[in-house]
Amino acid sequence: MENLSTTAAPGSSLWALLLATLGSTASQPLGAEAVCTARPPAKYSLTFTGKWSQAAFPKQYPLFRPPAQWSSLLGASHSSDYSMWRKDAYVSNGLRDFAERGEAWALMKELEAAGEKVQSVLAVFSAPAVPSGTGQTSTELEVQPRHSLVSFVVRIVPSPDWFVGVDSLDLCEGGRWKEQASLDLYPHDAGTDSGFTFSSPNFATIPQDTVTEITSSSPSHPANSFYYPRLKSLPPMARVTLVRLRQSPRAFVPLAPDLTSRDNEIVDSLSVPETPLDCEVSLWSSWGLCGGPCGKLSTKRRTRYVRVQPANHGTPCPELEEEAECVPDNCI
């Protein structure tokens, strides 16, 4: 026993170093992302820009009762312990109410509960609604090393339960805060209503489905308002830009994007993409009666009607009326 203790003494410092290393490694979950060490906390300006124009999304574009618009923006800065929404996951009751009806009360209570009980939410932020498809709104938010993630949602109005947003955008890169971050936003289905079009009546999804991204080919149904089979992908519906605000005695106002603005309407300095919309027609009607003298050639007709008018150089409509020769067989 004496030999053992004598041998261990010279290597005690080595053992201490090894244990300290193992202890610090064990304190982090396996496969976890690098811990943010940026100091001090940072503030950002967030600008949401709607790009939902009739040129980019001509199919069933809402023009009235209500016209195309965006709800208020609701978001939070949080840690990895919290998720406001996530693709392929079920939404909470609060987010369901927000996505379907624009009601924020339940979602706000969920955010407050996450902040008080789990301390995973640092702060909640919001921005005013945009009363048109192509407009902008902005707000400010704060992040800290342990709460460096940002999530938010904006409801597409009108729609069954569709929204755009950001899920857990990390504004920290190791030991520093990002100076700027920009993301294109695409429509998502909350999985709680089965409507296919912007103005679909309420039709609850039972059982509830998970959040899915809406694409030009999914859902694969011609009635879907975002169904553009000629496109590989949809153009972005919106864009978000976050710019870090410098700490100074006087508030820093970031340079505004190069936009031509009028009230809450904006037009990109770049040309707006035009999405071609092909003509859609109904099935042929039944053939009409074959008129004319008995035993002599005559004509019969059938018709169809336009279901969707073409737009932006889409395929034009075919003939809507067709004739065929016939011999009356129901005459006296």
Side-chain angles (χ1 to χ4, degrees), residues 23-331:
S24 62
T25 304
S27 65
Q28 296 182 23
L30 203 59
E33 297 180 0
V35 176
C36 176
T37 58
R39 295 290 189 278
K43 285 190 175 182
Y44 284 83
S45 68
L46 182 153
T47 302
F48 173 89
T49 303
K51 293 179 175 289
W52 184 16
S53 67
Q54 190 171 8
F57 298 91
K59 187 174 183 180
Q60 302 167 4
Y61 188 82
L63 295 174
F64 51 88
R65 292 187 300 182
Q69 57 190 276
W70 301 96
S71 76
S72 57
L73 179 152
L74 184 60
S77 53
H78 58 90
S79 67
S80 58
D81 301 326
Y82 175 78
S83 174
M84 175 178 279
W85 68 275
R86 187 152 293 164
K87 188 177 177 182
D88 300 325
Y90 295 101
V91 299
S92 65
N93 291 335
L95 190 51
R96 177 200 62 204
D97 292 349
F98 187 83
E100 289 187 6
R101 301 184 294 275
E103 297 175 1
W105 174 255
L107 183 55
M108 285 288 294
K109 298 300 289 183
E110 291 174 356
L111 288 166
E112 289 176 6
E116 292 174 0
K117 296 180 181 178
V118 190
Q119 296 186 343
S120 55
V121 172
L122 171 67
V124 176
F125 57 86
S126 63
V130 181
S132 62
T134 54
Q136 71 175 13
T137 187
S138 60
T139 186
E140 293 183 4
L141 59 101
E142 182 178 348
V143 288
Q144 293 180 357
R146 186 175 173 271
H147 303 87
S148 61
L149 306 180
V150 170
S151 298
F152 70 81
V153 287
V154 184
R155 180 175 181 253
I156 299 170
V157 183
S159 75
D161 61 341
W162 302 341
F163 68 93
V164 299
V166 164
D167 169 32
S168 302
L169 172 64
D170 197 346
L171 294 176
C172 181
E173 287 181 330
R176 65 184 184 87
W177 297 111
K178 294 179 180 178
E179 293 300 319
Q180 182 171 330
S182 295
L183 291 174
D184 287 328
L185 306 179
Y186 298 88
H188 284 75
D189 188 322
T192 61
D193 191 294
S194 297
F196 272 123
T197 66
F198 293 120
S199 56
S200 291
N202 187 40
F203 185 56
T205 302
I206 302 175
Q208 181 177 332
D209 205 351
T210 58
V211 174
T212 56
E213 182 177 344
I214 302 172
T215 69
S216 59
S217 58
S218 178
S220 182
H221 194 292
N224 180 24
S225 294
F226 289 107
Y227 186 69
Y228 296 96
R230 288 177 56 179
L231 298 183
K232 290 184 178 180
S233 61
L234 290 173
M237 276 199 88
R239 186 172 179 81
V240 62
T241 301
L242 294 103
V243 179
R244 185 184 175 194
L245 302 177
R246 295 296 181 186
Q247 301 290 339
S248 62
R250 302 183 69 179
F252 172 79
V253 179
L255 292 175
D258 185 15
L259 304 170
T260 304
S261 171
R262 182 178 180 181
D263 293 330
N264 211 22
E265 298 282 331
I266 64 159
V267 179
D268 263 318
S269 55
L270 302 176
S271 60
V272 177
E274 290 191 346
T275 299
L277 181 63
D278 299 335
C279 176
E280 294 181 15
V281 295
S282 67
L283 298 175
W284 285 109
S285 67
S286 301
W287 285 104
L289 295 174
C290 183
C294 292
K296 292 186 178 181
L297 282 176
S298 185
T299 58
K300 59 182 178 179
R301 293 180 176 83
R302 65 177 182 175
T303 60
R304 56 186 175 183
Y305 61 90
V306 176
R307 298 174 64 94
V308 176
Q309 291 285 355
N312 304 333
H313 310 292
T315 303
C317 293
E319 293 294 329
L320 301 178
E321 186 173 314
E322 190 174 58
E323 293 186 352
E325 291 185 341
C326 64
V327 177
D329 57 359
N330 203 13
C331 56

Side-chain angles (χ1 to χ4, degrees), residues 1-13 15:
M1 290 293 293
E2 287 183 355
N3 290 339
L4 182 60
S5 62
T6 305
T7 307
S12 58
S13 58
W15 278 107

